[in-house]
Every structure is written in C-alpha cells, then in structure tokens.
Amino acid sequence: MDMTEEVLRLEKIAYSYNNKDYVLKDISISFKKGEKLVLLGQNGSGKSSLFLCCNMINEPSSGSIYLKGKKIEKKKKDINELRKSVGIVFQNPNEQIIASNVYEEISFGPMNLGIKIEEVRERIEKSIEIMKLENYRKRMTHYLSGGEQKRVTIADILAMYPDIILLDEPMSSLDMKCSRELENTLNILSQKGIGIVVASHDVDFAWRWADRIVVIQSGEIISDSLPEELFKNKKLIEKAEIDMPILYSVGEKLKISPIPRKIEDLE
C-alpha cells in the first residue's frame, strides 16, 4: 500500500460561524491513503469544525479543498463527490442514525447514490461483514448499546466506499472492551487502504496507534509530525497544553530506546 498517496488536501482554510470570530485560521493539511492520523487538541480547539469543513458540511470562509488533486468547486456534483469520498462519524451516534433498524440504516447512504439495487445490497453486506453486524440486521437502532451504535455509524460510512473516514472522539462513552474492539476495527480499515483520521485528546491512544499526529490549538495547526518527533518536543507539548503519554514517560525514565509504543513492546 502506498501511504504517500494523497487523497484530500486543504489549503489555507479559514472558517467562522458568525463571519467575525474565526474558529479555523489558515489551516493547511493533507490526508493520505491507509494512514492512521490523530488530530490532537483540547475541547474547543477546532477539531470538530475542521472535520465539518473537510467534506463541506460547513463551507469554508476561505481557502481551497482538493480531492485526489482536483480542486472542489462550489457545485453540487463536486460536493457530492467529496462527501462520497470523505465520510464523518460523529461523536454522538444519535446525531447520525436516522433509520429504525440496522439494515435500513446502512442502506440509506448507498440508496441515495442512485446505484443499482444489486450493488446497494453488495455494499451493505460488505459493511455488515467488516463491522461484524451479521446478527444485528433487524435490530432496532435505538435499543443498541453505545458501542453497537458506533459500529453501525461506521458501517453507514463504509457502505459509501470512502477513501477517508473522519471519526470525532470515537472512544467517548465506550467502555474499555468496546474501545479496544473499535481500535482493532480501525486498524483493519487502515490495512484495507482507507485513511483513518481520529479527533481526540487521548495522548495514550495517539502514541500507541497513530502513524502521524497533528496538533491543533485555537484553530491553528501548531504541529504535524511523527509521534516520536512530537513528544520529544517538550516546549511544543507545554504550549499545546497536552499531557505526555504514560508509556512514553515510563520509557524515558527507564532509558528505553526506542521508547515502546505498546505495553507488549516492553516484554
């Protein structure tokens, strides 16, 4: 897999909800095929606003968006193409789920693409298989647990055959078991060539999982680097007001080189 293959690029993006106070300022960032990227930042730093601009749910106040090298214009055709390629999984599944049962929910997106019913069914079945929802087809969506609802919302996006999936705080409200299962699923999706971008403030998750970490503060990107490079930069960590990963701190104190990314690496 060529993880240097750029899928989405934002150039000098700015966004304001009131045409006065900018929540995003001069944002330039790229997202690549199969890459595991974590967007780190405190609450209110602009992570969710950036996601909403990535597929033009929120239209940027200024700047440009490129999909596979092509500039996205303010045309319905271009915007629809962008939204097929770049899917968002919201923090709260209830904001995304609209159908009464799981099968209908997953079918909603591909049905709206106007493709043949045979292909719609194929997409649904692939999504169900990947997200291990075989026994949930007829389950009522509002009776699902938080972890189950999260899996359904990811299946929604998978049925659109996206190139990039943006997940806003996907582990919030999940217990440890569900969080680990979701993390494993994200690894599988990345291996299939889908770029996975997770907005989070969990530095321990970012350290063990990410290929690349982007730090956003007050609507500006202040770092875009490898995890090892980010956490070496103590001045930047202090400026961003984020903690050090526990495992990184332990590795430093024990003078382990390279510093382990996972607990298993200590064995």
Side-chain angles (χ1 to χ4, degrees), residues 11-15 24-28 219-221:
E11 287 190 357
K12 297 186 178 300
I13 293 293
Y15 183 74
L24 297 176
K25 309 160 191 172
D26 198 32
I27 295 282
S28 293
E220 298 180 276
I221 289 175

Side-chain angles (χ1 to χ4, degrees), residues 2 12 22 64 107 122 128 134 183 198 250:
D2 183 5
K12 297 186 178 300
Y22 283 85
S64 302
S107 71
E122 181 181 338
I128 285 174
E134 289 88 350
E183 189 172 323
V198 175
V250 170

Side-chain angles (χ1 to χ4, degrees), residues 176-211:
M176 187 176 295
K177 179 177 180 293
C178 288
S179 293
R180 287 297 186 187
E181 288 175 349
L182 179 55
E183 189 172 323
N184 289 335
T185 298
L186 299 183
N187 288 334
I188 291 168
L189 297 179
S190 172
Q191 290 164 9
K192 290 181 179 293
I194 300 172
I196 306 296
V197 185
V198 175
S200 180
H201 53 261
D202 185 343
V203 293
D204 293 307
F205 166 75
W207 171 247
R208 72 172 176 268
W209 184 81
D211 298 319

Side-chain angles (χ1 to χ4, degrees), residues 217 222 233-242 244:
Q217 184 180 53
I222 62 172
N233 192 335
K234 300 299 191 291
K235 287 184 179 179
L236 182 72
I237 294 299
E238 185 176 340
K239 177 183 177 182
E241 299 179 289
I242 57 178
M244 294 294 292

Side-chain angles (χ1 to χ4, degrees), residues 129-245:
E129 180 183 359
I130 292 170
M131 298 310 300
K132 299 179 181 178
L133 292 167
E134 289 88 350
N135 298 325
Y136 291 80
R137 296 168 185 272
K138 296 182 180 179
R139 289 275 298 274
M140 304 300 285
T141 51
H142 59 277
Y143 288 140
L144 299 176
S145 69
E148 291 165 344
Q149 287 184 331
K150 192 74 73 173
R151 284 159 58 195
V152 171
T153 56
I154 296 174
D156 286 350
I157 301 302
L158 285 179
M160 302 292 285
Y161 284 11
D163 296 297
I164 302 286
I165 300 179
L166 313 173
L167 300 102
D168 195 356
E169 301 286 358
M171 311 302 184
S172 66
S173 76
L174 298 185
D175 60 27
M176 187 176 295
K177 179 177 180 293
C178 288
S179 293
R180 287 297 186 187
E181 288 175 349
L182 179 55
E183 189 172 323
N184 289 335
T185 298
L186 299 183
N187 288 334
I188 291 168
L189 297 179
S190 172
Q191 290 164 9
K192 290 181 179 293
I194 300 172
I196 306 296
V197 185
V198 175
S200 180
H201 53 261
D202 185 343
V203 293
D204 293 307
F205 166 75
W207 171 247
R208 72 172 176 268
W209 184 81
D211 298 319
R212 175 174 150 224
I213 300 176
V214 172
V215 181
I216 185 168
Q217 184 180 53
S218 301
E220 298 180 276
I221 289 175
I222 62 172
S223 176
D224 185 342
S225 64
L226 299 174
E228 294 86 353
E229 294 172 354
L230 170 64
F231 292 110
K232 278 181 185 176
N233 192 335
K234 300 299 191 291
K235 287 184 179 179
L236 182 72
I237 294 299
E238 185 176 340
K239 177 183 177 182
E241 299 179 289
I242 57 178
D243 297 326
M244 294 294 292

